[in-house]
């Protein structure tokens, strides 16, 4: 049930970066090892983000391990904590722990009569907000 706190962290980060502008889309990257349940995340995100964010999109990042001595990297669909190349066990998680806002898309709230060129949205980089 950590999806509620994750949703709150995402919304807080997005609102801070949006700085009063209207956010249309939040793009998240979520590592498989975070064990986030997508339906539960959707539910809490809709609750936490109402009136602030229109849409949540996310990409699930597969878990990978990396062997420190030889830098071999492999996916762990089936848990496999030894390096398949050198047989070593000195390994670290190379990916799969992601929980970060990749970008947000912000609507233009230009005043009436503004003659600046049309611009539908801009993208902003957002820092990693993962609570551990
Ligand atoms: Zn190795």
């Amino acid at each position: 049930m950590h999806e509620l706190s994750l949703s709150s962290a995402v919304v807080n980060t997005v609102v801070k970066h949006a700085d009063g502008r209207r956010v249309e889309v939040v793009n998240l990257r979520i590592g498989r090892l975070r064990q986030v349940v997508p339906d539960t995340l959707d539910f809490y995100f809709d609750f936490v983000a109402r009136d602030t964010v229109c849409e949540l999109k996310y990409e699930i990042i597969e878990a990978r391990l990396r062997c420190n001595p030889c830098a071999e990297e492999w996916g762990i669909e089936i848990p496999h904590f030894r390096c398949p190349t050198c047989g070593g066990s000195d390994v670290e998680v190379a990916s799969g722990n992601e929980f970060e806002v990749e970008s947000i898309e912000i609507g233009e709230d230009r005043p009436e009569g503004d003659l600046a060129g049309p611009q539908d949205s801009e993208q902003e980089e957002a820092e990693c907000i993962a609570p551990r």
Side-chain angles (χ1 to χ4, degrees), residues 3 9 14 24 39 43 47 49-50 60 62 67 76 80 85 87 89 95 105-106 108 116 125 132:
E3 284 84 356
V14 167
E24 293 173 346
D39 286 349
F43 175 83
F47 175 74
R50 65 188 185 285
I60 301 293
E62 295 302 328
C67 175
I76 50 168
H80 187 193
T85 296
S89 59
S95 68
E105 294 165 27
I106 291 176
E108 284 295 304
E125 291 295 317
R132 302 279 174 177

Side-chain angles (χ1 to χ4, degrees), residues 4-127:
L4 176 57
S5 59
L6 293 174
S7 297
S8 299
V10 168
V11 170
N12 288 340
T13 298
V14 167
V15 166
K16 187 181 73 178
H17 280 271
D19 195 24
R21 295 166 295 179
R22 184 167 49 88
V23 176
E24 293 173 346
V25 179
V26 176
N27 297 302
L28 272 186
R29 301 174 77 240
I30 306 172
R32 184 74 77 193
L33 297 180
R34 301 306 292 249
Q35 298 184 291
V36 168
V37 180
D39 286 349
T40 309
L41 181 67
D42 286 337
F43 175 83
Y44 282 121
F45 188 84
D46 286 347
F47 175 74
V48 173
R50 65 188 185 285
D51 302 329
T52 60
V53 179
C54 294
E55 189 180 357
L56 175 66
K57 295 178 181 174
Y58 46 84
E59 171 189 4
I60 301 293
I61 310 299
E62 295 302 328
R64 297 178 64 78
L65 295 183
R66 179 188 301 122
C67 175
N68 285 323
C70 83
E72 174 76 7
E73 248 189 60
W74 65 99
I76 50 168
E77 289 285 334
I78 301 165
H80 187 193
F81 293 96
R82 274 185 181 272
C83 175
T85 296
C86 74
S89 59
D90 177 12
V91 300
E92 64 181 13
V93 174
S95 68
N97 262 324
E98 292 85 356
F99 193 96
E100 59 200 36
V101 177
E102 184 176 38
S103 62
I104 59 179
E105 294 165 27
I106 291 176
E108 284 295 304
D109 288 316
R110 292 186 180 282
E112 295 285 333
D114 190 337
L115 294 178
Q119 190 178 1
D120 291 326
S121 68
E122 62 183 277
Q123 295 231 337
E124 280 208 356
E125 291 295 317
E127 71 210 28

